[in-house]
Amino acid sequence: MLLCIDCGNTNTVFSIWDGTRFLCTLRTATEHQRTADQYYVWYSQLIEHYRIDAVITDVIISSTVPRVVFNLRVFADRFFNTRPLVVGKPECLLPHAPRVDVGTSIGPDRLVNTAGAYDRHGGDLIVVDFGTATTFDVVAHDGAYVGGVIAPGVNLSLEALHASAAALPHVDVTKPQAVIGTNTVACMQSGVFWGYVGLVRGITERIRAEYERPMRIVGTGGLASLFAQGDMLFDTVEDDLTMHGLTVIHAYNKDHKAQ
């Protein structure tokens, strides 16, 4: 079985793929000091709790936090006796090579989302990912990543607002009952929710106008479902897009190696 690991700036997600479906998804906070042994203790306890009988034969990792990759490599090698495939490394092949400026470093999460979205929907896509940053990835007709947009993440914006304005409290992200808030919390929630609805709509409209072809919009990330309530922002919302992309890239590398 394949263990997919997606390490973001805030959370690290582990999912077990049996070839047809994900058996489980486990989530933990991203901490660069966590050792391979600590990963395994956490992982094995949850696997036992969910009563999952899984023999891991392969591991693939996508990480936007370079400092954690070493311990995740050791984790895979020590406890599963396998060398993990790491997205973004030269030995990890992509189904479609990106077309961006020479020397540009592309986040592994964006490459994985591109692979997963193209596999499911074909090309001419905008993938909007609500993570620590809010990213917009443009997928060409042939599946290549051809650029995009990076904006501050929703929670990052809220934390900055709370930290910089002493009188403003920390609030949860939710859809407000009305645009006009009648108290401080409601005002902040309205500003964040409808502000990001406007940001997503505005950026995707500009991308479409510049791209000059019809494009589908795919939403993903923890807050995608929430913001889908605001307006018709997305053609589809897929919570497991990144994990699906990891299975696509792993399968491509396995097939290429077998040839």
Side-chain angles (χ1 to χ4, degrees):
M1 294 186 187
L2 172 65
L3 177 61
C4 300
I5 303 176
D6 173 38
C7 179
N9 290 290
T10 304
N11 293 315
T12 299
V13 182
F14 291 61
S15 287
I16 299 174
W17 174 253
D18 71 355
T20 58
R21 64 188 180 97
F22 288 108
L23 300 182
C24 69
T25 297
L26 315 174
R27 187 180 300 268
T28 185
T30 297
E31 298 176 356
H32 70 267
Q33 70 272 25
R34 184 171 297 179
T35 67
D37 291 349
Q38 288 174 319
Y39 277 118
Y40 185 71
V41 169
W42 167 82
Y43 169 87
S44 59
Q45 287 179 339
L46 284 178
I47 291 298
E48 182 178 352
H49 172 76
Y50 289 117
R51 299 180 180 178
I52 296 172
D53 184 14
V55 178
I56 303 300
T57 57
D58 298 273
V59 178
I60 183 168
I61 300 169
S62 169
S63 177
T64 58
V65 186
R67 296 176 67 184
V68 307
V69 173
F70 173 78
N71 283 326
L72 287 172
R73 281 183 180 270
V74 174
F75 165 74
D77 179 64
R78 180 178 297 168
F79 298 105
F80 303 119
N81 194 32
T82 183
R83 178 179 175 82
L85 196 62
V86 181
V87 179
K89 299 296 182 183
E91 64 272 16
C92 180
L93 305 177
L94 297 174
H96 306 277
R99 294 194 296 272
V100 293
D101 294 342
V102 176
T104 299
S105 177
I106 306 169
D109 54 332
R110 307 183 82 177
L111 298 173
V112 171
N113 283 346
T114 295
Y118 181 75
D119 182 70
R120 284 181 170 170
H121 304 288
D124 297 329
L125 306 172
I126 304 171
V127 181
V128 185
D129 188 354
F130 291 87
T132 304
T134 302
T135 59
F136 300 74
D137 302 324
V138 179
V139 185
H141 68 280
D142 60 354
Y145 169 85
V146 292
V149 176
I150 301 175
V154 178
N155 286 313
L156 190 64
S157 296
L158 274 173
E159 290 171 8
L161 191 62
H162 172 61
S164 300
L168 297 181
H170 181 79
V171 299
D172 294 328
V173 184
T174 187
K175 181 182 179 180
Q177 295 181 348
V179 176
I180 302 173
T182 54
N183 56 68
T184 300
V185 170
C187 288
M188 292 176 66
Q189 289 175 332
S190 182
V192 170
F193 182 84
W194 291 112
Y196 270 86
V197 167
L199 180 143
V200 171
R201 185 192 296 111
I203 289 179
T204 53
E205 286 179 354
R206 287 180 177 273
I207 290 174
R208 279 174 159 166
E210 189 172 294
Y211 195 72
E212 298 181 334
R213 295 181 66 161
M215 304 182 79
R216 287 174 59 84
I217 303 176
V218 181
T220 191
L223 293 174
S225 297
L226 171 65
F227 282 95
Q229 301 175 30
D231 268 318
M232 296 300 294
L233 293 179
F234 313 114
D235 294 296
T236 183
V237 173
E238 300 183 6
D239 294 333
D240 67 340
L241 184 65
T242 302
M243 287 300 166
H244 177 67
L246 285 172
T247 69
V248 171
I249 293 175
H250 176 265
Y252 179 78
N253 279 264
K254 196 169 184 177
D255 291 343
H256 187 85
K257 187 176 180 180
Q259 292 177 357

